Every structure is written in structure tokens, then in C-alpha cells.
């Protein structure tokens, strides 16, 4: 076997030694924290090192330590954007919405490029929405699109949610259709169909629903959408059949003790549409307890609330 | 580690790596990244390579390596450079060395499941050697049944000796077996320490060059690549290296992002997720796409992979780390609710392989109520795991942590759902053929260290095993395969009432037949079964119902008897008295309440029998809390399956009674 000339080997050896911290830098999380701590304590402290240790603390769910490190990172560099962004996430998680919003605003100001800036704007929009400021949230979401017109899948979803929160639900289909066209994401296509159903544009939704019903293996969510269209068009008996089939499939898919909450939300909606109000409420509560996002249970909540109004409750 | 020892280790590691790389590195200096394959479909493929100077890129290809008559269309070759000042053209390379050109050629209009050979040219000048290993194979038409053979690697990207050995072991093994890979999946961490462009070139492309020239690597991003690449917008060296489907072009539904996607190979559907830097919640876009994709596929097999393992106690702990917990709590319910068969992950530097499990989403992970088959899954051992044909929700999943592809391996503890825990470098080879998926863990010496299989046939209904096999604690794990001692009964207590007497009449099914599902429930109609008095058996002259013809013919017998619990009985004093040879499983009202001498499975699928002599003695097994809860007012059913350790055994005894102790 022909070997490399000696100087070349020495060069590689030297570079390998230089790379040792990197080569060994794929240990477990606790060891990474120990490594960062050692470096911080030996006088290497910097915004980046504190930030990196904060990320490891966050992975271990040690949020107070993560927060302390993020704050320390900002002492070293008050414009260190990743630390502002991460701090905003942490603060929001423990319900400190105002402080989280402040951090997100810092992140926007400190952003070094358009990409970072648009991402920080979307973060701020989310935080404002949670804080009950949908108008401001929508404004910031649109600002982000100004900076990056192609957007991202999640941005279109957020935009649609914010339109709903600003009592402009009928504008959702157009935004989601544009997002689908720009990204090809099936999530946006499906959200577009849901938005069409919410806007009572059943005929526009039906071609896709029919196509998916004929080509999907598991049809529950499409049967549910079909039932919504059927009910909207006054086809109550057919809707009942669709919902029964949907529930039959969900019964096989929902784990008895540890279910996927998106399926629980679907079952709740199917039950609500069938008038099984107690069961639907129970699933709504279960989905909420499981951390379901607001979009996931919005239609179920609306259906139950409409039902309560109808029955004078 | 002291500096001299560190140097020694570094020197030896480097020299060994160099020595091993020499034959692999005999490549053309023309390429800064040698040609590799991407995004295969049934009718197209991408060929990607890099040079450090400008060339006129041409791909010639054909079915005969000696006559490459077809030419790529110039407009189908995209050239990417490091020039960030361009606008409107293909995206610039994120951080490649200045002057780098990356060529991405799309070859389309190909036949499905066909092998083609190719060569890269600079105008008329051939750059790749005349070598038939420069070839590619298109995928079969989605939905068709074709054999599939693939390689699974994780956490490999050190560029060191162990990574090279793992690669060589796979190549040697395949050469000996005369097998060729159809594809290669990498579960992340392929370019330590930060997934930079240079680290990708040296620790991934250079290392695996002979494999990558003819095998598509479909990758999931690891946390180390995540230091320089972003799943959110698909930028960075990882996304420069890979061309992942975003519009459903390789099967599956369009994700709109390269970070997560799916593809088909015949009737096998692969799902690839980004567990590192995207929203892992059920409401996140990735989970919403996953749910839609899984609902759509009509494949027979479903394989998912991503970097962070839902179950591990290797170098990481899935009970403590947020990404791992979230993948388990949020993503696994969607995958199992869609019928996933097997999940490959890495991140934790170890090989861990689970039993057949379902619903293990809680933190911390326990084996209680989640193990459907605790056998070893080895076709040569307990036999393959059985599942229903097709994709059936919650029918059982195997988890494989393959984070042992090259970096240092270690173990923190014991993950209770695991069947095999091996702290060695290696990789996994998987084949899917017809109704069977088989997998082998190959260590860096090309030794097979684990084998398991999943077989799909008819309808298989599993229920969780009450007291499943457990892996040995880390500190006692010198023997990797401990044997669980069968349960022993107590001596017979003083009896106040015989609920089912020793000589009572039972319904029984013998002769080699197995009962249908639900045979243990009260509603099951056993009127076609024979009647006989306990005990049942042959060969030891202690049986009222002699099972003539059982020896050498069959080894399992099923019996049922109804009973009522006396109204004033203290249920905690009820127990089964049993004289048995060799093993049995008892059920009350459809629930398994006692398992003695059977390691896993039940009925036809029962495995791991332990020998036991009846010796005309009875052992007493008091009902535990779980069994007492199964009792109901009025009529109950006690169903028992008895098993002989082997059909040729000299005797068999199954002689139960249900007693109320004083």
C-alpha cells in the first residue's frame, strides 16, 4: 500500500490535533455543559459560549439555568440576536408574554440581515397573538412577508390564523392558496380546504375532497371535511354516514390511553357534528389538556358554541 | 487524557484512517467532490459533483457500461457556485471554498427498476474512469412489490478509523453475500463537529465515495449539521450536499421543505423528519405534514427515520432531553396511529433495538403495558415479530438506535423497551422481501451482532404483555442476553372452597389446532370444542383426559371453564393451583393474568418455553391485583393455554384448579 509522504502526514496530524476540541465535541449533553463551563471559567467567556451552554441547558429542560446563561450572553454582547430570540422563547414558555415580546423586539433591532430580521418579526407576531394583540401581530407578520415575499410554510399558516383572529376569516382561503402555490406544501393545501369550508365555499372544496377520498389509505380526516360540506349543503343523512365512517376509522387509530391529540380533536368534531355533545366536549377538554394548538380545535369550539346557542344554553 | 497519550491516540487514529482511506481515495483529482447520486425516482435521478475549475459538464449514460450512448441535456444540468452576487439563478453554495462549482444533473425519461451506467465528461474529455461501479438504479414503480436492500448509518462523521472500518465491513459483507445496496439512509451527524462544507467533503463524501457513486444516500439532518444548516429555510452545507424532494416527486406528499420529506421504493414508504430545529409539536407544520402523508400512503411497509431517538439510554437519555421527549410524546403517536413498522434514529452513540412495542409515549419510558411481543425477533431464535398485513395502526413498532456509525460509543443506562443493547461501532443492513423485513446489525469487524425480522401475514391482534422480558441492568450487562427465570408458584394453601375443582369438566381444543382471536373472552362460543376432565396430558400417567397423539405432533392445548366467585369471597385469597409440564398462560375474561414458562407471545405465536416437570405436584399462584380486577360479578371464564417445550417431549400435563384459600 502506497503511503502519503511524511510531511503530508505530519500536516494532517497537526490539523487533527487542532481539531480535537471539535472531534470530541459530540459527547452527551451533560458533558457538553461541563466543557462549556470549563471554558467559561478558564477565561474564555463570551456571548456565544453562554448561548451554547444555554441551548444545552434547554435541551435538559433546565430552563432557569438556560435563562441565566442567555442573560449573561447579552451582557457580553447586547446585540447577540440568537440569545434575544431564545430568551423570547423561554420567557413565553413560562408565561412572561410582555418580557418575551420585549426580547423579540430586541431581536428585530439586533438582526444583522433581512433573513434574521424577518424571522424575528414572525416570532414577535406569534408572541403578540398569544398576548391578545391580533392586529399588531398581523402587522408584523405582513412586515416579515415584505422582507421575504416567498415566505415559509409556517408564515402562511400564521397569516391565516391571524386573519381569523382579526375577524377576517374569509380572506384565509386566498392567503393559503397563495402559500400552497409558492411552497407546494400539502399542509397549506389542506388548510386552504379547511378555510374554504369555514367560508362555506363547499363547491370549491369538493373536487379536492373527492380526489383525496378516492386516493387516501386513511380517509377519516377527509370524511370529516366531506361531512362538513355535506352538512353545509343540507345533505344531513349523507353527512351522518360520512361521520360514522370517520368515527369507525378513528376508533382503530386512537390509542386508548395515549392518543394522538390531533385525532382526538377530529373525533370531537365528528361527534359534535353528529350532536353527541357530551362526548365532543370531553374530547375538546382532552385535546386542550394535551396541548392542542388553537387552530386544531377552533372548528370544534365553534361547532359546540353554535350548538349551545341553538339550544339556548 | 494526558498529552502524550492523546498524541499517541491521535497519531494511531490518523494513521489508521489514512491507511484505510488510501484505496478509497484513489480518485480523480479533477473532482473536489466525486460524483454521487441523489433523488432517485422510478424515472429519474440526479448526479451531483464538484470541481474547482470551470468545465463543460456532460453526463453520458446507458445500460451497457461499454457504450454510454445517451447524453444529459445541457439545460438539465444546474451549475451552482459560491458567487453570492448572482440573482435569479440557482442558489449559491453556502460556504464552499471559493471557485467551487457544483453540478447537479437531472437524468430523466428512465425505465423503472433499471440499472444504468454513467460517466462524467468535460466536453469530450472523460473525467470518471472506465469503471462499471459508476452506475445507478431507478426505483421500482411505487406500489409494486420488489425486493429492497438498504444500509442504515448514524453518527458516523468523524473521518476516523472506526467510521472507515464500519464502511469497509458493510462493503466486505455485501461482497461476500453478493448483495448490492438499493439505497443508503443516514440518520444524521455525518460531518462532525459542525457540518461545515469542508467537514462534509472530508468526513462524508471522501469517506463513502465508492458507495455514494452508485447508491443514493437519503439523509436526515443531525444536530451537528444543524450548527451550520437550517431546516427552516433549507440553507447551509447540508442542504447544498443533498437534493431532497419537496414536491412529492419521489412519492409521498409535498412537504414544501427539504428538511422533512417522504419517498417510495416499490411498496415501501420512507418518511424522513427533522427532529433538530423544527417545531415538533402536533400542531407544527412538520407533524401536520406527517399526518397527511401517513394517511395517504398505500404502501405495505412504513419506515420512518430522524436523528433524535424517542427511546435511548446510550450517550443520550430520552427521559431527560427535550428533543427526544418531544419526538416520543408528539411524533410517535402519529407514526404508530398510521401503522409505522420500524423507526431508525441516531444521536445516541450506541446500538439499541427494541421489542415490538406500541404506545410507549410516557416520560419516563417503562415497559409496562407497551410491549406487544417481547421475543428476540430473531428468525433463528424466538422467530420474527408478527404483524398484520399492510399498515395497521398500533400493530407494533421496532425502534432502532443506530448512532454507532463511527464515533465513540457509550451507555448511560438501560432503556426498558430494548431487546438488544450493544456498545460497539457498526451499522444496520435491512432487506424487505415480500411479507418479511429482515435486519442485521453488523459491527466494524463485519460480524453480525443482532438479527431480527418482522413478518406480516393475515390479521394479527396483539395485546400488551403484562410482565415482559427486561434487558439486564447496565451494571450487570456482562452477558448481553440474560434469561428470565420462569415464575414459580407457592405450595398449596389450606383451601376453604374449590371454585373450579381439580377434576372439573373443561372444554378443550387439541390436535394441533389453534383457536381464533378472542377465544379467551366470555362471549366466545366453545360449543364445538371437546369436553374433558382435568388434567390433560400424556406420558406420565397423571391425566384424566389423555391426549393420545399429541407427542411428536403438536405442542399446545387450549382449555376453558366458566366459574362464579362466591359472593362473600375475599378475592385476594383466590388463586390458580396448577400441575404443569411445561408452560402455560392463563386468562380471566379475556385478560392475561398469569404467564409461567413462556417468554413471549401467545397461542401460535408463543415463544421461549422453559422446561418444567409436573411430578404430580400442584403449585399455587394467588391472583394479583391485575387479575382480581379482571373478575366480574356473575359468570366468569378462565381460559388457559398449555405448551410443551417441544412436540417430541416425553410427557405433557395441564391440570388446573381455581381455589379460595382460607
Amino acid at each position: 500500500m502506497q503511503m502519503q509522504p511524511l510531511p503530508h502526514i505530519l500536516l494532517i496530524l497537526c490539523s487533527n490535533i487542532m481539531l480535537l476540541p471539535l472531534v470530541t465535541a459530540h459527547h452527551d449533553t451533560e458533558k457538553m455543559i461541563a466543557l462549556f463551563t470549563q471554558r467559561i471559567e478558564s477565561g474564555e467567556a463570551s456571548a456565544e459560549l453562554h448561548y451554547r451552554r444555554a441551548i444545552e441547558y434547554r435541551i435538559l429542560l433546565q430552563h432557569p439555568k438556560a435563562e441565566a446563561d442567555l442573560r449573561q450572553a447579552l451582557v457580553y454582547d447586547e446585540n447577540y440576536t440568537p440569545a434575544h430570540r431564545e430568551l423570547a422563547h423561554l420567557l413565553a414558555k413560562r408565561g412572561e408574554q410582555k418580557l418575551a415580546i420585549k426580547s423579540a423586539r430586541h431581536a428585530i433591532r439586533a438582526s444583522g440581515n433581512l433573513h434574521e430580521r424577518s424571522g424575528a418579526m414572525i416570532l414577535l407576531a406569534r408572541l403578540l397573538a398569544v398576548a391578545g394583540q391580533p392586529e399588531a401581530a398581523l402587522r408584523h407578520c405582513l412586515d416579515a412577508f415584505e422582507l421575504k415575499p416567498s415566505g415559509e410554510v409556517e408564515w402562511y399558516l400564521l397569516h391565516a390564523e391571524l386573519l381569523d383572529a382579526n375577524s377576517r376569516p374569509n380572506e384565509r382561503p386566498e392567503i393559503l392558496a397563495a402559500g400552497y402555490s409558492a411552497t407546494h406544501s400539502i399542509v397549506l393545501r389542506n388548510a386552504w380546504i379547511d378555510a374554504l369550508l369555514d367560508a362555506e365555499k363547499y363547491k370549491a372544496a369538493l373536487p379536492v375532497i373527492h380526489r383525496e377520498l378516492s386516493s387516501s389509505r386513511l380517509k377519516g380526516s377527509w370524511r370529516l371535511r366531506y361531512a362538513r360540506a355535506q352538512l353545509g349543503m343540507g345533505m344531513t343523512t349523507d353527512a351522518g354516514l360520512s361521520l360514522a365512517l370517520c368515527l369507525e376509522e378513528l376508533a382503530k387509530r386512537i390509542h386508548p390511553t395515549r392518543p394522538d391529540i390531533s385525532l382526538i380533536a377530529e373525533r370531537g368534531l365528528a361527534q359534535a357534528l353528529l350532536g353527541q355533545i357530551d362526548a365532543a366536549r370531553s374530547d375538546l377538554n382532552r385535546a386542550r389538556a394535551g396541548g392542542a394548538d388553537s387552530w386544531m380545535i377552533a372548528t370544534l369550539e365553534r361547532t359546540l358554541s353554535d350548538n349551545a346557542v341553538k339550544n339556548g344554553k | 487524557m494526558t498529552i502524550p497519550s492523546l498524541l499517541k491516540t491521535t497519531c494511531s487514529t490518523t494513521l489508521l484512517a489514512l491507511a484505510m482511506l488510501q484505496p478509497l481515495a484513489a480518485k480523480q483529482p479533477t473532482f473536489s467532490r466525486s460524483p454521487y447520486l441523489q433523488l432517485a425516482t422510478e424515472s429519474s435521478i440526479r448526479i451531483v459533483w464538484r470541481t474547482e475549475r470551470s468545465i463543460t459538464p456532460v453526463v453520458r449514460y446507458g445500460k451497457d457500461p461499454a457504450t454510454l450512448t445517451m447524453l444529459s441535456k445541457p439545460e438539465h444540468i444546474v451549475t451552482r457556485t459560491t458567487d453570492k452576487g448572482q440573482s435569479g439563478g440557482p442558489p449559491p453554495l453556502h460556504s464552499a471554498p471559493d471557485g467551487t462549482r457544483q453540478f447537479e444533473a437531472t437524468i430523466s425519461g428512465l425505465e423503472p427498476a433499471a440499472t444504468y451506467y454513467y460517466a462524467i465528461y468535460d466536453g469530450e474529455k472523460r473525467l470518471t474512469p472506465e469503471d462499471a461501479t459508476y452506475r445507478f438504479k431507478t426505483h421500482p414503480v411505487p406500489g409494486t412489490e420488489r425486493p429492497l436492500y438498504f444500509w442504515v448509518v448514524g453518527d458516523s462523521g468523524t473521518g476516523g478509523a472506526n467510521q472507515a472500518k464500519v464502511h469497509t465491513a458493510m462493503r466486505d459483507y455485501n461482497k461476500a453475500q453478493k448483495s448490492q445496496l438499493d439505497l443508503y439512509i443516514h440518520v444524521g451527524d455525518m460531518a462532525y463537529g459542525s457540518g461545515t462544507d469542508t467537514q462534509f467533503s472530508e468526513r462524508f463524501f471522501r469517506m463513502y465515495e465508492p458507495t455514494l457513486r452508485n447508491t443514493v444516500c437519503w439523509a436526515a439532518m443531525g444536530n451537528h449539521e444543524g450548527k451550520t444548516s437550517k431546516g427552516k429555510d433549507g440553507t447551509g452545507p447540508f442542504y447544498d450536499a443533498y437534493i431532497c424532494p419537496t414536491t412529492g416527486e419521489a412519492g409521498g406528499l409535498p412537504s414544501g421543505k427539504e428538511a422533512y420529506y417522504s419517498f417510495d421504493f416499490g411498496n415501501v414508504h420512507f418518511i424522513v423528519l427533522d427532529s433538530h430545529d423544527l417545531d415538533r409539536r402536533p400542531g407544527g407544520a412538520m407533524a401536520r405534514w406527517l399526518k397527511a402523508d401517513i394517511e395517504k400512503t398505500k404502501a405495505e411497509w412504513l419506515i420512518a427515520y430522524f436523528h433524535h431517538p424517542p427511546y435511548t439510554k446510550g450517550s443520550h437519555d430520552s427521559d431527560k432531553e427535550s428533543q427526544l421527549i418531544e419526538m416520543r410524546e408528539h411524533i410517535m403517536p402519529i407514526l404508530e396511529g398510521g401503522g409505522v413498522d420500524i423507526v431508525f434514529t441516531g444521536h445516541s452513540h450506541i446500538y439499541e433495538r427494541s421489542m415490538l412495542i406500541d404506545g410507549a409515549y410516557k416520560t419516563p419510558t417503562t415497559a409496562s403495558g407497551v410491549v406487544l411481543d417481547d421475543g428476540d425477533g430473531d428468525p433463528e431464535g424466538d422467530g420474527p415479530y408478527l404483524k398484520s398485513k399492510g399498515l395497521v395502526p398500533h400493530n407494533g413498532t421496532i425502534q432502532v438506535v443506530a448512532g454507532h456509525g463511527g464515533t465513540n460509543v457509550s451507555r448511560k443506562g438501560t432503556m426498558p423497551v430494548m431487546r438488544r443493547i450493544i456498545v460497539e461501532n457498526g451499522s444496520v443492513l435491512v432487506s424487505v422481501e415480500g411479507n418479511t423485513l429482515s435486519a442485521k446489525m453488523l459491527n466494524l469487524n463485519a460480524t453480525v451482532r443482532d438479527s431480527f425480522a418482522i413478518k406480516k401475514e393475515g390479521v394479527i391482534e396483539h395485546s400488551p404483555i403484562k410482565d415482559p422480558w427486561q434487558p439486564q441492568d447496565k451494571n450487570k450487562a456482562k452477558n448481553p442476553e440474560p434469561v428470565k427465570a420462569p415464575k414459580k408458584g407457592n405450595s398449596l394453601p389450606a383451601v376453604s372452597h374449590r371454585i373450579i375443582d381439580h377434576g372439573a369438566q373443561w372444554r378443550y381444543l387439541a390436535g394441533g389446532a389453534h383457536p381464533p382471536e378472542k377465544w379467551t373472552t366470555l362471549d366466545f362460543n366453545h360449543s364445538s370444542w371437546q369436553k374433558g376432565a382435568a388434567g390433560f396430558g400424556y406420558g406420565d400417567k397423571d391425566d384424566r383426559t389423555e391426549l393420545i397423539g399429541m407427542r411428536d405432533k403438536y405442542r399446545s392445548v387450549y382449555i376453558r371453564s366458566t366459574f362464579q366467585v362466591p359472593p362473600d369471597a375475599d378475592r385476594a385469597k383466590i388463586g390458580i393451583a396448577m400441575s404443569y409440564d411445561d408452560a402455560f398462560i392463563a386468562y380471566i375474561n379475556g385478560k392475561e393474568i398469569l404467564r409461567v414458562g413462556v417468554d413471549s407471545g401467545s397461542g401460535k405465536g408463543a415463544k421461549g418455553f422453559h422446561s418444567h416437570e409436573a411430578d404430580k405436584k400442584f403449585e399455587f399462584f394467588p391472583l394479583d391485583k391485575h387479575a382480581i380486577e379482571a373478575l366480574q360479578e356473575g359468570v366468569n371464564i378462565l381460559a388457559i393455554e398449555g405448551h410443551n417445550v417441544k412436540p417430541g417431549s416425553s410427557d405433557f400435563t395441564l391440570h388446573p384448579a381455581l381455589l379460595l384459600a382460607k
Side-chain angles (χ1 to χ4, degrees), chain B residues 339-636:
Chain B
V340 70
D341 294 302
I342 188 162
V343 175
F344 292 102
T345 53
H347 193 52
S348 198
H349 301 160
I350 192 166
Y351 173 79
E352 294 170 296
R353 194 265 294 169
S354 76
M355 299 175 262
L356 190 72
I357 60 172
D358 179 61
Y361 313 138
K362 281 185 180 168
T363 305
T365 300
T366 66
S368 172
V370 303
V371 177
L372 306 184
D373 184 340
D374 64 357
D376 64 11
D378 186 344
E380 305 290 314
D382 293 339
Y385 299 113
L386 301 178
K387 290 189 68 177
S388 298
K389 193 171 160 28
L391 301 180
V392 177
H394 299 293
N395 204 221
T397 308
I398 300 295
Q399 298 277 341
V400 179
V401 181
H404 62 328
T407 191
N408 295 336
V409 285
S410 62
R411 178 177 173 185
K412 274 179 189 291
T414 305
M415 173 48 64
V417 298
M418 291 300 169
R419 194 62 168 81
R420 293 273 196 235
I421 301 169
I422 301 174
V423 190
E424 290 176 26
N425 283 117
S427 61
V428 185
L429 284 161
V430 185
S431 67
V432 183
E433 194 157 1
N435 66 351
T436 304
L437 178 152
S438 312
K440 293 180 193 311
M441 194 285 254
L442 197 68
N443 73 5
L444 77 184
N445 300 317
T447 304
V448 174
R449 297 284 286 113
D450 181 29
S451 288
F452 67 95
I454 303 170
K455 193 172 178 186
K456 291 187 169 184
E457 222 167 35
V459 176
I460 305 288
E461 287 188 17
H462 289 293
S463 50
I465 295 169
K466 186 174 157 263
D467 181 21
W469 181 93
Q470 283 292 276
Q472 202 165 35
D473 184 71
K474 181 197 168 193
N475 300 322
K476 297 175 188 164
K478 283 178 190 161
N479 175 2
E481 186 60 5
V483 176
K484 189 172 70 175
K487 188 173 278 191
K488 291 257 183 233
N490 306 329
S491 54
L492 273 183
V495 173
S496 70
H497 179 69
R498 291 181 168 81
I499 300 171
I500 301 176
D501 206 350
H502 287 94
Q505 289 282 321
W506 293 67
R507 291 281 187 169
Y508 72 98
L509 178 69
H514 295 282
E517 297 294 329
K518 317 278 187 197
W519 74 276
T520 59
T521 62
L522 183 60
D523 295 339
F524 178 73
N525 182 354
H526 58 209
S527 58
S528 63
W529 290 22
Q530 290 178 272
K531 276 186 194 168
F536 301 84
Y538 70 88
D540 45 10
K541 296 180 183 164
D542 64 351
D543 310 301
R544 283 195 179 88
T545 300
E546 185 89 10
L547 299 172
I548 298 159
M550 182 173 181
R551 186 171 186 180
D552 295 324
K553 296 286 187 307
Y554 60 96
R555 69 177 180 198
S556 304
V557 176
Y558 303 86
I559 64 174
R560 285 168 51 94
S561 176
T562 54
F563 66 93
Q564 295 202 31
V565 179
D568 54 347
D570 177 354
R571 292 177 175 205
K573 290 188 174 173
I574 298 173
I576 293 175
M578 181 71 89
S579 178
Y580 60 102
D581 176 346
D582 289 290
F584 67 95
I585 307 172
Y587 307 83
I588 288 178
N589 299 326
K591 279 191 183 170
E592 182 184 323
I593 52 124
L594 179 61
R595 175 180 286 258
V596 178
V598 185
D599 277 350
S600 66
S602 59
K604 192 167 61 170
K607 291 172 217 157
F609 304 113
H610 297 260
S611 180
H612 182 269
E613 288 301 323
D615 289 336
K616 296 181 183 164
K617 287 179 189 155
F618 283 85
E619 291 173 24
F620 186 70
F621 300 90
L623 298 192
D624 65 10
K625 190 174 160 231
H626 174 76
I628 291 167
E629 281 169 8
L631 291 169
Q632 58 190 31
E633 296 304 320
V635 180
N636 294 269

